[in-house]
Amino acid sequence: MKPIRKAVFPVAGLGTRFLPATKAMPKEMLTVVDRPLIQHVVDEARQAGIEHCIFVTGRNKGVIEDHFDRQFELETTLLERGKKKEYELLMAELPAAGAASFTRQQSPLGLGHAVWCARDIVGDDPFAVVLPDVLVKAERGCLAQMIDAYNAIGRASNIIAVEEVPMERISSYGVVGIGKTHGKSFEITQMVEKPKREDAPSNLSITGRYILQPEIFGLLADQQKGAGGEIQLTDAMVRLSKTQPFYGVKFEGQSYDCGMKLGFLTANIAYALDRADIADELRAEIGKLLK
Ligand code: UTP
């Protein structure tokens, strides 16, 4: 069984729910405390043993590429001013030469199409897909938990991170059906995009992290438009599930949907309350606001 070494980060969306913030700046560069969303998820991927990060970018997203490159002027200035700690932080976070690739999705035709744009760079290996607008705060990263499950299953399979959501909101999500349990994962019996409450096979929603076999690309190549007029990854996964097994992993940790204002603001508070340098003062400030 081939190991999971590559991760695809689709970052070509328009981020319309965050306008006007995202008019000239990519949504994926919005910060949670002092790290852009994209850096948070790259950290998670690296902790899971990912060696090559593939970013599917689009127009107005050049700053994401700059973020993962050297910044000679800044580095020189930091060193001149004796800010060695800040300099070392920047250097430690740089991807190794050749370990980050960037490709373009010229039109935002949907998540499935964005993933398909990475096909030549991924090649014939299983790979992870990580959505940068979903942050998972967990002791062991969500992707690492999924790779643990993948290795435990021990055969070429597809894995989807899932979590419980309230039934009254179920029709906003992709939802999975639950089959036999295998350790920390379970067989997925069906996948439905945005079902009516009465048609939902469970209360478990698909949560922005996937491990997929490369056969998905052949299906994405002729995938027709689905919900919202977009080429949906879920639709291609449904087709792949006819020939390959899919497993769900109910990860341990708290997810934040940072593609929505409420999730993004909550993530900022949750991550900040974990930071020794600001937590106490932040708690006091929140206390004052709530009085
Ligand atoms: P979203 O569904 O959140 O879409 O995409 P969006 O365009 O970013 O945001 P809204 O809904 O307009 O506010 C989830 C992830 O998939 C990427 C996005 O960049 C985001 O990281 N994506 C989405 C693409 O790369 N290409 C697409 O065509 C659509």
Side-chain angles (χ1 to χ4, degrees):
M1 200 178 68
K2 287 187 185 171
I4 312 297
R5 295 196 199 287
K6 295 178 185 170
V8 174
F9 300 87
V11 293
L14 297 177
T16 54
R17 285 170 291 172
F18 266 97
L19 284 169
T22 47
K23 185 178 172 193
M25 186 188 69
K27 173 174 79 173
E28 298 78 12
M29 289 301 290
L30 291 172
T31 54
V32 168
V33 190
D34 49 12
R35 302 171 80 66
L37 287 171
I38 190 70
Q39 180 77 61
H40 281 279
V41 291
V42 164
D43 293 346
E44 180 187 327
R46 282 199 191 143
Q47 283 160 14
I50 295 296
E51 294 166 7
H52 194 126
C53 294
I54 301 161
F55 301 90
V56 181
T57 74
R59 285 176 62 244
N60 279 340
K61 303 280 182 165
V63 68
I64 297 178
E65 203 161 335
D66 293 341
H67 181 77
F68 290 103
D69 202 353
R70 303 274 312 257
Q71 258 276 20
F72 288 108
E73 201 183 315
L74 174 64
E75 291 163 17
T76 311
T77 310
L78 287 175
L79 286 177
E80 277 169 8
R81 295 189 183 169
K83 291 186 178 288
K84 204 155 171 267
K85 215 173 94 197
E86 287 81 355
Y87 170 83
E88 279 167 1
L89 178 84
L90 291 187
M91 298 313 282
E93 289 181 349
L94 268 184
S101 299
F102 298 84
T103 187
R104 284 230 179 186
Q105 182 190 27
Q106 287 98 338
S107 315
L109 298 179
L111 177 60
H113 183 261
V115 171
W116 181 70
C117 291
R119 66 198 178 281
D120 285 347
I121 307 174
V122 171
D124 201 22
D125 294 322
F127 63 103
V129 175
V130 182
L131 302 195
D133 43 10
V134 177
L135 292 193
V136 180
K137 199 159 166 296
E139 211 139 283
R140 182 159 176 73
C142 179
L143 189 58
Q145 295 179 45
M146 293 168 70
I147 292 179
D148 291 345
Y150 180 77
N151 292 334
I153 291 162
R155 64 185 176 124
S157 58
N158 301 271
I159 313 273
I160 301 177
V162 298
E163 67 180 339
E164 285 177 12
V165 290
M167 276 316 269
E168 56 272 21
R169 295 217 312 268
I170 201 77
S171 52
S172 311
Y173 299 96
V175 182
V176 301
I178 307 172
K180 263 195 260 157
T181 302
H182 293 264
K184 294 207 162 181
S185 55
F186 61 87
E187 279 173 27
I188 289 178
T189 54
Q190 58 171 314
M191 291 174 253
V192 203
E193 194 57 57
K194 300 187 173 53
K196 283 192 203 138
R197 187 177 171 157
E198 55 275 23
D199 298 335
S202 75
N203 65 343
L204 293 181
S205 79
I206 297 176
T207 317
R209 305 279 186 276
Y210 313 80
I211 291 172
L212 296 169
Q213 297 298 319
E215 287 74 21
I216 192 82
F217 291 124
L219 299 170
L220 284 169
D222 62 5
Q223 185 61 50
Q224 301 300 304
K225 287 180 181 168
E230 296 196 335
I231 297 173
Q232 296 287 353
L233 182 60
T234 308
D235 293 343
M237 292 194 304
V238 168
R239 287 165 70 206
L240 185 59
S241 69
K242 310 251 185 291
T243 54
Q244 289 188 4
F246 272 73
Y247 293 89
V249 171
K250 221 168 119 185
F251 56 89
E252 283 165 26
Q254 177 63 50
S255 77
Y256 298 94
D257 182 354
C258 295
M260 288 166 55
K261 293 177 208 41
L262 185 63
F264 173 72
L265 294 170
T266 313
N268 260 291
I269 295 169
Y271 279 73
L273 286 174
D274 242 17
R275 287 271 299 259
D277 54 339
I278 46 175
D280 289 346
E281 281 175 76
L282 178 63
R283 215 170 266 120
E285 291 296 334
I286 294 172
K288 276 194 237 163
L289 287 171
L290 293 178
K291 254 190 206 153

